[in-house]
Amino acid sequence: MADAKVIPFDDDRSRGGAGGAGGAAQRPARRRGAGSRRHGAGTAAMGDVQPLPGRTSVGDDAPVPRESRAEHDGGAAASGAAPGTESGSGDEAGGLEQRVASGLAFLRRRLTGDYAVDDFGYDEELTDQVLMSLLRPMYEKYFRVEVKGIENIPSEGGALIVANHSGTLPLDGLMMQVAVHDNHPADRHLRLLAADLVFMLPVVNELARKLGHTLACAEDAARLLEQGELVGVMPEGFKGLGKPFADRYKLQRFGRGGFVSTALRARTPIIPCSIVGAEEIYPMIGNARTVARLLGFPYFPLTPTFPWLGPLGAIPLPTKWTIQFGEPIHTESYPPEAAEDPMLMFNLTDQVREQIQHTLYKLLVQRRSVFF
């Protein structure tokens, strides 16, 4: 397979345009709804209309009498064909041909290396057409994610989304990425900051890079924000991801507030995000620390199903999720030297944490059931 083209971050290419041969592919057009097909089908099947008594002809834009439509539809029913069948079949055949052609073109670009990745390894075309399609059934059908406050994410420019972290495995980050990708009106992409362990695991490392994830460090975060990207961070880290089930929805320490310093330097808003539903997918009732040390993991979870049921125990519970994006905390009014003020960073960090915690409690009160 040929090497992909690498497009540096300082390239002034348009994010929304086709960009050229190596640019990211446009998102496929949505299928026409049943209502639009039915309208077109009825027009195609109507045929010639006889002139009304006292009139010599009927113009193309003249209204068709209801009796004529009834007679024609009755004749079509008598012949065993539904009105608009030919047009509807044509639309479906044309849509199938378009999807097949698009898929073949995609395979050709992958095989020839005629696709673009950025300096961090982000592959927008692969993410849009393949990876998001693999995550979407879990997002829509399994966890049935409900998204609130998507309008609080700006349509352009850099922004830092700060969310709680839980669930033993980091599925909450992936679901948050799908939520932004599928619901934001500006079709924005979320670039997640991930721990070192993610980039040490085979296969996972490559997939994370393709999805746009990068190392959770101030340098990478600042560079993405300066380029106008939407960046996601979960400051709790492994402390939140691997906390016992008894401590669910209790936020852990948010580190030293490095994410606040990064947002202040980039002068980008901070958007708190609260995720409900992830805590229960793998109820962690124990931690096999000896096994974790042998494997080099921060923890080794023991749940009611894992490892007792083997591979079946790794299937998450089908909980009902809610992801709410809160009102942004703006940082543009602070002077550049504010990023060096430890008290300001502490206050802003505490403000973000309290807003996420308060929203979690509110969503828990509103929730009817863990699974519904």
Side-chain angles (χ1 to χ4, degrees):
M1 183 180 297
D3 293 333
K5 297 179 182 179
V6 177
I7 297 180
F9 253 86
D10 54 0
D11 193 351
D12 291 330
R13 71 188 190 280
S14 172
R15 292 173 52 84
Q26 294 287 341
R27 183 173 300 177
R30 295 183 179 177
R31 294 181 58 186
R32 295 174 57 190
S36 60
R37 289 199 300 271
R38 191 180 302 115
H39 175 75
T43 304
M46 195 171 296
D48 296 331
V49 180
Q50 298 298 326
L52 292 173
R55 299 182 63 177
T56 58
S57 64
V58 178
D60 292 341
D61 55 348
V64 179
R66 184 170 303 181
E67 294 80 7
S68 299
R69 289 198 300 267
E71 291 175 2
H72 183 273
D73 290 348
S79 63
T85 302
E86 294 181 0
S87 178
S89 301
D91 287 347
E92 293 179 1
L96 178 60
E97 292 177 359
Q98 184 178 4
R99 290 194 296 271
V100 171
S102 177
L104 292 176
F106 172 79
L107 290 176
R108 178 182 56 79
R109 288 192 297 272
R110 306 314 295 186
L111 293 174
T112 59
D114 188 16
Y115 59 92
V117 296
D118 67 12
D119 292 346
F120 295 97
Y122 173 48
D123 190 334
E124 184 174 352
E125 182 185 39
L126 184 68
T127 297
D128 286 344
Q129 298 194 21
V130 178
L131 299 180
M132 284 295 162
S133 299
L134 295 176
L135 293 172
R136 196 167 287 119
M138 179 178 290
Y139 171 88
E140 293 180 347
K141 305 299 183 182
Y142 197 76
F143 293 136
R144 295 146 291 145
V145 181
E146 178 184 0
V147 179
K148 300 179 180 180
I150 194 70
E151 67 278 1
N152 291 320
I153 300 177
S155 298
E156 58 183 12
L160 185 65
I161 297 180
V162 183
N164 58 305
H165 207 12
S166 62
T168 305
L169 292 180
L171 297 180
D172 50 358
L174 297 176
M175 295 300 103
M176 182 171 65
Q177 192 172 6
V178 179
V180 174
H181 181 275
D182 286 3
N183 292 277
H184 198 278
D187 297 329
R188 301 212 63 179
H189 295 263
L190 180 63
R191 309 291 296 272
L192 289 174
L193 304 181
D196 300 6
L197 180 62
V198 173
F199 303 102
M200 296 170 58
L201 299 174
V203 181
V204 175
N205 167 35
E206 188 68 20
L207 290 176
R209 289 291 185 187
K210 295 294 185 182
L211 274 165
H213 303 178
T214 188
L215 193 63
C217 64
E219 293 77 11
D220 286 0
R223 189 177 174 190
L224 289 170
L225 290 173
E226 289 170 0
Q227 295 294 328
E229 296 285 350
L230 196 61
V231 180
V233 61
M234 295 174 164
E236 291 178 281
F238 289 121
K239 300 189 301 294
L241 190 63
K243 62 177 176 288
F245 185 66
D247 295 334
R248 59 192 179 279
Y249 298 113
K250 296 178 182 177
L251 293 183
Q252 304 299 301
R253 184 171 173 267
F254 268 23
R256 296 186 294 272
F259 68 93
V260 171
S261 176
T262 302
L264 287 171
R265 288 190 174 92
R267 305 177 70 82
T268 54
I270 301 172
I271 303 172
C273 176
S274 304
I275 303 175
V276 167
E279 293 275 14
E280 296 89 0
I281 60 173
Y282 296 112
M284 186 169 166
I285 58 177
N287 181 13
R289 292 184 173 83
T290 302
V291 178
R293 283 195 296 269
L294 291 175
L295 297 176
F297 294 162
Y299 55 87
F300 188 87
L302 302 177
T303 73
T305 58
F306 182 83
W308 328 115
L309 299 182
L312 291 177
I315 300 176
L317 297 179
T319 58
K320 176 72 170 64
W321 287 37
T322 301
I323 299 178
Q324 179 164 336
F325 299 96
E327 295 184 359
I329 299 173
H330 295 281
T331 62
E332 298 88 343
S333 60
Y334 294 100
E337 60 272 13
E340 307 298 333
D341 186 348
M343 287 303 299
L344 177 61
M345 285 196 297
F346 174 80
N347 290 334
L348 285 177
T349 302
D350 192 60
Q351 180 182 350
V352 174
R353 186 179 181 277
E354 288 299 320
Q355 187 168 336
I356 295 175
Q357 185 70 81
H358 176 73
T359 305
L360 286 175
Y361 287 149
K362 183 174 66 174
L363 292 175
L364 289 172
V365 170
Q366 297 173 353
R367 183 170 68 169
R368 296 178 301 170
S369 168
V370 173
F371 299 102
F372 304 103

